[in-house]
Amino acid sequence: MSEWYCPLPFRHAYIESAGIAACCQTPRYQVTLDEWPTHPALIELQQELLNGNKPKICQDCVRQEQAYGTSLRTNSNQDYDNQVFTDTRLEFIDFRSINICNFKCRSCNPVFSHGITQEINHYPELQRFFNRAPSTKTASVTDDNIDWIMRNLGSLKRIMLTGGEPTVIPGVRELIKTIKQNYKDIQVLITSNASFQDDFWFEITEQLPNLHWTVSIDAVGPSAEVVRHGSNWTVIERNVAWLAQHANSLDINSVVSNLTVFGIKPLLEFGRHMQRLSVTPVGRHGDLGCRHQFFVCQRPYHLAADNLSEELLPLAVDYLESCLTLDLDDEQRNMLTGLIAQVNSAKFDPTLWERSQSYNQTLDQIRHENHLILYKAHI
């Protein structure tokens, strides 16, 4: 393998309403999937990777690897058994078809939640916190690109379905039915907030052997209902426990922001409990159980995990160090160690902290919530 290589630009395309990209962390371009393999930006990126360079647009992965030892790039190399590709063949589509979502997460944006778009339209004071917003309530992928996906299902090896929230998007359900009927060899990856209550999602989990679930869990209990507005924690906890025992493949994905840094301990304990439930023979995940992976928020900057007040920064270090005494797997321990180093070296930025507080106080007023419960033991 070249010194710094990623397989995604050669085998994968990310698609959302704003355009197509090599992955979710690189720039979007308004082209079709037919045009993407020969697009100059993609060819330039591929050549840089084949030369062993670290492209400028890949700096998110560079930073993640420096701090935590893992990134989307390293995970992708593992997924592809460290193969090096030199040709372009789209066999993995990350398909974010429309921004319909039943949640309004504080770390999300209107591109991925039509509810946030509605909120911005009703409360213009929110506009200054978002760089871009769809001009309409919902924003979807173009018909040309949807047609490409339907025409090429037979040549795809993987399709990732997210949104928005895929379990509330009618088109996603119909696509999965088509795959179940005609293309069972495709690996289907669903990224969900685990709020579903429709029998369809339980039944398809048991009927589709190549179905993988990733559930997004950033906090537990009442904190989850503030951080991810629209959550019913009782439903989510029940669904994740069911998936741990019945899904053929499950990951728990947690984003650590300055809103959730003081809730990591119960989140880690929840993750370990789900891992124990998923261990064979109760679950189907071998001796180690399902994966619980963390991504430390870097953007927007005002929600970065180390954007805390002068008083909270040292308290956060103490709190995170206390979490090291928990029963952790290697990935969780590496995340914690990197996060402790990041927070310990952080300098208080009054402008960013004020922006964070202004954003969250504005949402508190609109949603009749109190984000300070997320820091209640430390303020």
Side-chain angles (χ1 to χ4, degrees), residues 133-148:
S135 55
T136 57
K137 181 177 73 172
T138 59
S140 63
V141 168
T142 64
D143 290 341
D144 284 345
N145 286 323
I146 293 173
D147 290 343
W148 186 98

Side-chain angles (χ1 to χ4, degrees), residues 88-352:
T88 305
R89 186 168 71 245
L90 296 183
E91 60 184 33
F92 179 10
I93 302 296
D94 183 344
F95 183 36
R96 311 195 179 198
S97 60
I98 194 168
N99 66 338
I100 293 174
C101 188
N102 55 339
F103 282 11
K104 294 182 285 188
C105 302
R106 292 192 181 223
S107 59
C108 194
N109 65 68
V111 174
F112 300 112
S113 171
H114 80 289
I116 295 177
T117 303
Q118 288 179 305
E119 208 165 45
I120 293 171
N121 290 336
H122 288 150
Y123 303 98
E125 59 267 34
L126 283 172
Q127 290 178 357
R128 67 189 182 95
F129 298 108
F130 298 98
N131 292 327
R132 56 184 176 136
S135 55
T136 57
K137 181 177 73 172
T138 59
S140 63
V141 168
T142 64
D143 290 341
D144 284 345
N145 286 323
I146 293 173
D147 290 343
W148 186 98
I149 291 170
M150 299 306 296
R151 282 188 284 110
N152 287 276
L153 280 174
S155 63
L156 294 181
K157 293 183 178 179
R158 296 184 195 177
I159 185 165
M160 180 182 290
L161 303 170
T162 178
E165 168 53 36
T167 64
V168 299
I169 299 173
V172 167
R173 182 185 300 229
E174 294 309 309
L175 176 57
I176 290 175
K177 288 180 180 178
T178 299
I179 290 171
K180 177 192 169 188
Q181 182 174 348
N182 301 313
Y183 305 100
K184 280 193 173 181
D185 289 338
I186 299 177
Q187 184 182 19
V188 179
L189 303 95
I190 299 177
T191 300
S192 171
N193 58 32
S195 64
F196 54 87
Q197 300 189 63
D198 190 319
D199 287 345
F200 174 83
W201 301 105
F202 299 97
E203 292 167 359
I204 202 68
T205 299
E206 297 185 314
Q207 295 168 357
L208 204 58
N210 290 330
L211 176 59
H212 167 84
W213 286 92
T214 296
V215 292
S216 300
I217 308 292
D218 298 341
V220 302
S223 296
E225 299 178 2
V226 173
V227 173
R228 298 173 68 83
H229 182 81
S231 297
N232 179 328
W233 179 247
T234 301
V235 171
I236 293 168
E237 184 177 30
R238 183 186 67 220
N239 285 349
V240 179
W242 186 90
L243 289 171
Q245 296 173 79
H246 295 88
N248 286 308
S249 182
L250 170 69
D251 284 355
I252 300 170
N253 179 44
S254 299
V255 174
V256 182
S257 69
N258 60 357
L259 291 168
T260 61
V261 71
F262 286 104
I264 284 182
K265 186 175 289 186
L267 180 59
L268 285 165
E269 291 170 337
F270 171 80
R272 289 301 274 163
H273 178 53
M274 294 302 112
Q275 287 175 317
R276 286 190 287 272
L277 285 179
S278 66
V279 167
T280 306
V282 177
R284 305 177 184 182
H285 290 76
D287 295 332
L288 299 177
C290 63
R291 184 182 184 190
H292 187 189
Q293 60 183 334
F294 286 79
F295 293 91
V296 178
C297 179
Q298 307 293 339
R299 291 186 180 81
Y301 294 116
H302 62 273
L303 293 181
D306 59 0
N307 179 31
L308 296 165
S309 70
E310 265 186 309
E311 295 76 20
L312 286 175
L313 279 169
L315 294 174
V317 173
D318 291 343
Y319 173 79
L320 293 170
E321 287 179 340
S322 74
C323 293
L324 290 171
T325 62
L326 298 174
D327 174 27
L328 305 173
D329 64 27
D330 289 344
E331 187 169 11
Q332 293 165 339
R333 189 169 297 278
N334 289 339
M335 178 279 298
L336 264 181
T337 301
L339 182 57
I340 290 167
Q342 178 181 335
V343 176
N344 196 38
S345 64
K347 306 297 183 189
F348 171 57
D349 186 324
T351 302
L352 277 181

